[in-house]
Amino acid sequence: MPKTEKVERVAELKRRVEGAEALFLADFRGLTVGDVTDLRRSLRESGTRFAIVKNTLMKRAVGEVGAEGLQALLEGPTAVAFVDGDPIMAAKSLMDAIRRFRTMELKGAYMEGRVLSAGEAQSLATIAPREVLLSQLAGMAKAEMSRAAAMMQALQSRFLALLDAFQEKHRAEHPPASVPEEQEEQPPSEPPQEAREESRPDTESEQKSDETEEEEGE
């Protein structure tokens, strides 16, 4: 392969690695051209592009993007699944293909900046798809919100019941004082006739007494 073509091929692989959500590396020995075509078609449905790569060029490409850990997996016949969609769906499709094509083996994967072993890559296929996980999370959040609302309502009802009980107890221990009816004001009663006569000054006696005092003075 001419040097210019190699440079262009490395640049293309580098672009694919940088733009992929995940990479799955597999040993494709035993697959026919028809098997590879069928595999590419089935993986394309999950947003995955399956390509047979040259190890030397792929090593240069992953080295330039800082994924040197993948270089240890680039031994023997290598095919790379470049995942542009959901890595979990891609892992499920790839594991279905491996069950169909018994000779193909999964070497490992690269996702979120770390290299995954073959076992770790296979375990991704057992995880529920992203849509299912999001739906489960939404259901859990809704259940928790309903539970919190029920607890708040129960606490509010209990508080109101305690408040009513406290008010009943307070009324029983402190009954309201009775207010006496206002009495009508009675006009002061006049003293009896005899008392009025007794209290009247004896003007005639006083007059005589004054005359007697004048005579004695003369």
Side-chain angles (χ1 to χ4, degrees), residues 27-36 77 101-105:
D27 186 333
F28 65 94
R29 276 180 291 197
L31 270 65
T32 65
V33 175
D35 293 338
V36 173
F101 306 108
R102 300 288 184 178
T103 59
M104 191 171 76
E105 296 181 0

Side-chain angles (χ1 to χ4, degrees), residues 128-147:
R130 181 179 301 173
E131 291 77 8
V132 176
L133 291 175
L134 292 176
S135 177
Q136 292 176 348
L137 289 174
M140 292 172 61
K142 184 177 180 181
E144 289 297 325
M145 290 176 64
S146 299
R147 181 181 178 185

Side-chain angles (χ1 to χ4, degrees), residues 5 7 9 19 23 34-35 41 53 56 60 70 76 94 97 110 115 123 138 158 190 201:
E5 187 177 350
V7 172
R9 184 59 177 163
L23 304 177
D35 293 338
R41 186 182 301 112
V53 299
T56 54
R60 288 178 59 183
L70 281 174
L94 193 57
Y110 181 78
V115 178
S123 65
R158 184 178 179 184
E190 296 183 357

Side-chain angles (χ1 to χ4, degrees), residues 177-211:
S178 59
V179 180
E181 297 181 358
E182 295 183 357
Q183 298 180 354
E184 297 182 358
E185 294 185 358
Q186 300 292 337
S189 58
E190 296 183 357
Q193 182 67 25
E194 295 179 357
R196 289 199 302 271
E197 292 178 354
E198 290 178 356
S199 62
R200 181 179 301 169
D202 191 354
T203 54
E204 295 180 357
S205 299
E206 291 179 355
Q207 186 177 2
K208 289 179 181 181
S209 176
D210 291 340
E211 292 175 356

Side-chain angles (χ1 to χ4, degrees), residues 11-86:
E12 174 64 18
L13 290 173
K14 178 182 176 182
R15 185 183 63 80
R16 285 192 178 188
V17 172
E18 292 176 333
E21 294 291 331
L23 304 177
F24 289 91
L25 284 72
D27 186 333
F28 65 94
R29 276 180 291 197
L31 270 65
T32 65
V33 175
D35 293 338
V36 173
T37 302
D38 188 16
L39 180 57
R40 284 173 175 167
R41 186 182 301 112
S42 63
L43 292 177
R44 193 178 299 119
E45 297 176 357
S46 62
T48 303
R49 292 176 293 175
F50 187 79
I52 296 174
V53 299
K54 194 173 183 62
N55 288 335
T56 54
L57 301 181
M58 190 65 183
K59 286 181 180 181
R60 288 178 59 183
V62 298
E64 291 183 8
V65 299
E68 293 86 356
L70 281 174
Q71 294 179 351
L73 302 178
L74 295 171
E75 300 294 338
T78 305
V80 180
F82 297 91
V83 182
D84 297 328
D86 185 358

Side-chain angles (χ1 to χ4, degrees), residues 131-176:
E131 291 77 8
V132 176
L133 291 175
L134 292 176
S135 177
Q136 292 176 348
L137 289 174
M140 292 172 61
K142 184 177 180 181
E144 289 297 325
M145 290 176 64
S146 299
R147 181 181 178 185
M151 291 179 62
M152 290 295 295
Q153 186 175 3
L155 289 173
Q156 182 180 6
S157 300
R158 184 178 179 184
F159 173 76
L160 293 176
L162 290 173
L163 183 61
D164 290 340
F166 176 78
Q167 291 176 346
E168 289 293 335
K169 181 179 179 182
H170 185 271
R171 282 195 291 266
E173 295 178 351
H174 304 83

